[in-house]
Amino acid sequence: MSPLQHSIIGFLSLITFISTINAQTPITDWEDGRSTYYTTWEQGACNYGTISADTFPFNNIAAPNEAFYNKSLACGGCFEIMCVGPWDQTYCPGSAGCKTPNASVIIEVTDECPVQGNEQWCSGDITHFDLSQHAFDLIADNTCGVIKQKWRQVTCNYGTGKNIIVLNHNGINQWYFGITIESVDYYGQVSNVEIKDASSSTWSAGQRQDYNVFLWQATGNGLQTPISVRVTDSHGNMVVGNNIVTSFTGGAKFDLGTNFYNISSRYGKK
């Protein structure tokens, strides 16, 4: 076999491997929606901070309308957005709207499109995803500012070996503790977070905030490190990281040591 043939086979194998690890399974049926785009999508309402350009979600994120965001319950969910065409021709003069027929992109919810200031698009008349321009440009002509689309929820796939990340909120201490949960595989969305500090034998649930931080207030000597964290996803599946939070430094990240890998076999795909 020639060196060129070896190179072609190696390249095709790499493409197959990447397609496999980033494959995402539909969870819901298609529904009608609408999309616009915005250009500054870092530090969104979900408190995830910098969005990765090199790994999932590859800068492909969205801010859904306020009702869909639902006080941060939508954070971390993954959705496929398929371009249908211009919302109407006044927004797309002379343009077909979509890059190609049925062009689609997988996005992660990392932000919110609030009603105030966005009454025309995010008031809830239809499910609306304000896409990062990076995501919008993959499926539509960005001279066409508003498109009809279809959307469905799909599994999140961060790749084998990518564990859940626990992020300390800024300004915390042993009496006022807050964390955000990142990189949740499969269903993506988190319904509950509990902690158990070094001085306790029971789990304590955090109070979820609209900005996707779970908060705890302690008395006496406060929380003692190390702290274990238990994460429950939107379908009731749980994973635990024992003794992983070792400081109260704002912005510090801790590896949970696991994720919701192979959920269909482990949990019967709840």
Side-chain angles (χ1 to χ4, degrees):
M1 187 179 292
S2 71
L4 177 58
Q5 288 173 309
H6 275 295
S7 297
I8 292 172
I9 290 173
F11 177 74
L12 292 175
S13 298
L14 177 61
I15 293 298
T16 300
F17 172 71
I18 291 173
S19 298
T20 299
I21 65 171
N22 289 312
Q24 281 143 306
T25 304
I27 296 173
T28 64
D29 294 330
W30 290 107
E31 297 190 40
D32 293 330
R34 178 180 60 214
S35 279
T36 48
Y37 70 88
Y38 66 128
T39 57
T40 53
W41 56 84
E42 300 288 3
Q43 307 299 325
C46 294
N47 261 290
Y48 293 145
T50 302
I51 307 300
S52 176
D54 302 318
T55 59
F56 186 79
F58 305 103
N59 270 338
N60 298 323
I61 61 88
N65 58 285
E66 187 173 321
F68 192 96
Y69 178 79
N70 195 16
K71 300 182 183 298
S72 82
L73 284 173
C75 288
C78 297
F79 298 85
E80 183 175 9
I81 309 296
M82 181 174 67
C83 184
V84 173
W87 183 245
D88 66 49
Q89 285 301 327
T90 61
Y91 294 102
C92 305
S95 172
C98 305
K99 284 286 182 69
T100 58
N102 300 324
S104 71
V105 64
I106 305 295
I107 59 88
E108 179 187 7
V109 171
T110 64
D111 205 352
E112 175 190 21
C113 184
V115 173
Q116 186 173 1
N118 302 283
E119 291 83 359
Q120 184 174 6
W121 306 122
C122 296
S123 61
D125 60 315
I126 192 171
T127 300
H128 185 93
F129 287 89
D130 197 13
L131 304 176
S132 62
Q133 185 172 355
H134 187 273
F136 193 93
D137 286 351
L138 292 175
I139 62 172
D141 175 359
N142 66 31
T143 63
C144 177
V146 191
I147 59 168
K148 294 178 183 177
Q149 45 93 332
K150 289 185 179 293
W151 63 272
R152 62 182 177 184
Q153 188 167 8
V154 299
T155 57
C156 301
N157 190 338
Y158 288 90
T160 302
K162 175 64 175 178
N163 295 330
I164 289 171
I165 298 299
V166 177
L167 170 66
N168 275 357
H169 193 50
N170 289 321
I172 62 170
N173 53 46
Q174 60 265 47
W175 296 281
Y176 182 78
F177 182 62
I179 54 178
T180 293
I181 305 300
E182 300 182 353
S183 304
V184 177
D185 215 57
Y186 209 86
Y187 289 112
Q189 296 156 314
V190 171
S191 65
N192 193 30
V193 179
E194 300 160 282
I195 62 170
K196 183 170 61 175
D197 78 331
S199 65
S200 178
S201 59
T202 59
W203 293 98
S204 172
Q207 296 297 311
R208 187 177 201 146
Q209 309 301 302
D210 291 357
Y211 47 93
N212 199 35
V213 172
F214 290 82
L215 293 178
W216 292 261
Q217 294 191 51
T219 57
N221 293 325
L223 298 172
Q224 305 299 308
T225 59
I227 297 171
S228 298
V229 179
R230 183 162 69 184
V231 178
T232 305
D233 74 8
S234 57
H235 284 62
N237 307 304
M238 293 182 182
V239 287
V240 177
N242 290 313
N243 303 321
I244 61 163
V245 177
T246 56
S247 80
F248 298 106
T249 302
K253 293 187 175 185
F254 306 94
D255 190 320
L256 194 75
T258 188
N259 211 323
F260 294 101
Y261 306 124
N262 303 316
I263 197 171
S264 58
S265 59
R266 287 177 59 195
Y267 301 105
K269 194 176 180 181
K270 288 186 181 179

